Amino acid sequence: MQNQTIAIIGAGVMGCATALEASRHGYDVILKDISAAALEKAPKIIKQEYRSACLFNKEYSAVNLDTILSRITFQDDYLNIEKAEIVIENISENLHEKTSEYKRLAEVCKKDTLFALNTSCISITKLASFLPDPTKVIGIHLMNPVPLKEMVEVVRGYHTSDQTKEEVVSFLRSLEKSAIVIGDLPGFVSNRLSHLFMNEAAFIVQDGIATAEQVDNIIKQGFNHKMGPLETADLIGLDTVVHSLDVLYNSYHDPKYRCCPLLQKMVDAGQWGRKSRKGFYEY
């Protein structure tokens, strides 16, 4: 049983799934979001993630849902966040929103608090420059669905200390996660590769060469992937994929990251994937 408090900023799907994992492993969790609607929806998301995990892993139900929820505090303010040993930031890939939140967190958190930033594309070194002590900042790129994915891409910024790395790897181990520690450039390893993959798959559909289902089946059946690139894009959220591609394009100024027009059109039309019930597939 853990006795630490973990603060999670952002009650979207990733934030809720991370709260589920931490509380299931005995941590007291503060789940904060500025949106009342997000906080109201959060327990439902956690229940859905829990039930889904139980379907694929019978051992997941060893800790019951009521116990998990009892360890999570849902709030829109900074009450008790100073107690947190680790702050996990899960807010949207928007630099202004992130840095505004960091400024407020810096005012309330302890000096030795570790900041684990679950960003998908923005450089950890860049984000750490907006926090008081960049040696205590590290990236933890959790994979979706969090309860079923053991690997975590841990991104060490320019100033991240050995102690911070070791403490975060130990924390992830306590969640039964394995860390792969890498260096820092925008997109890291997973998103530099995966977003090119999803983007090119969208170009193939746009060009009329194959349907989304055909593209995904070729990848699943031909390369033994569990999910196709367009199913994955729908799961992540097409709006998130487009935004991440924009970050990569602006970071590297490389045309290979140019967003497929079809992806942008679908996002403009509100077809964001699973979260809107329609993307490349209907849900």
Side-chain angles (χ1 to χ4, degrees), residues 40-202:
E40 182 180 357
K41 190 177 179 182
K44 298 176 185 176
I45 295 175
I46 291 170
K47 290 176 185 177
Q48 290 169 356
E49 292 285 324
Y50 177 84
R51 289 166 183 160
S52 178
C54 289
L55 288 174
F56 290 95
N57 180 2
K58 292 180 181 179
E59 296 179 3
Y60 206 84
S61 60
V63 183
N64 68 62
L65 184 58
D66 288 340
T67 299
I68 288 169
L69 288 171
S70 73
R71 296 174 181 153
I72 304 173
T73 302
F74 302 88
Q75 62 188 57
D76 62 0
D77 55 24
Y78 295 89
L79 183 66
N80 292 323
I81 284 184
E82 74 280 358
K83 296 180 181 179
E85 306 292 333
I86 301 175
V87 172
I88 302 174
E89 178 262 300
N90 281 285
I91 61 179
S92 63
E93 291 288 282
N94 180 296
L95 186 61
H96 176 71
E97 290 182 14
K98 287 180 181 292
T99 54
S100 295
E101 183 66 25
Y102 297 164
K103 182 178 180 181
R104 187 70 183 96
L105 287 169
E107 295 172 351
V108 298
C109 290
K110 297 179 293 187
K111 288 185 178 180
D112 59 351
T113 300
L114 299 184
F115 289 89
L117 313 182
N118 190 17
T119 182
S120 58
C121 282
I122 302 174
S123 163
I124 297 302
T125 302
K126 182 172 185 175
L127 292 176
S129 70
F130 296 99
L131 284 160
D133 186 355
T135 68
K136 297 188 178 299
V137 181
I138 197 166
I140 57 164
H141 187 201
L142 295 151
M143 304 293 168
N144 199 0
V146 176
L148 300 178
K149 296 288 187 178
E150 292 184 7
M151 192 280 294
V152 179
E153 185 180 37
V154 173
V155 185
R156 187 169 184 167
Y158 184 84
H159 295 288
T160 304
S161 69
D162 289 340
Q163 182 178 349
T164 295
K165 182 205 73 171
E166 290 164 6
E167 289 184 14
V168 167
V169 169
S170 177
F171 164 67
L172 291 171
R173 193 180 299 120
S174 76
L175 302 185
E176 299 180 78
K177 306 293 186 189
S178 60
I180 298 179
V181 182
I182 62 168
D184 177 38
L185 275 177
F188 324 124
V189 173
S190 58
N191 279 355
R192 284 179 68 175
L193 294 172
S194 65
H195 281 65
L196 283 174
F197 195 32
M198 291 182 284
N199 199 40
E200 190 61 26

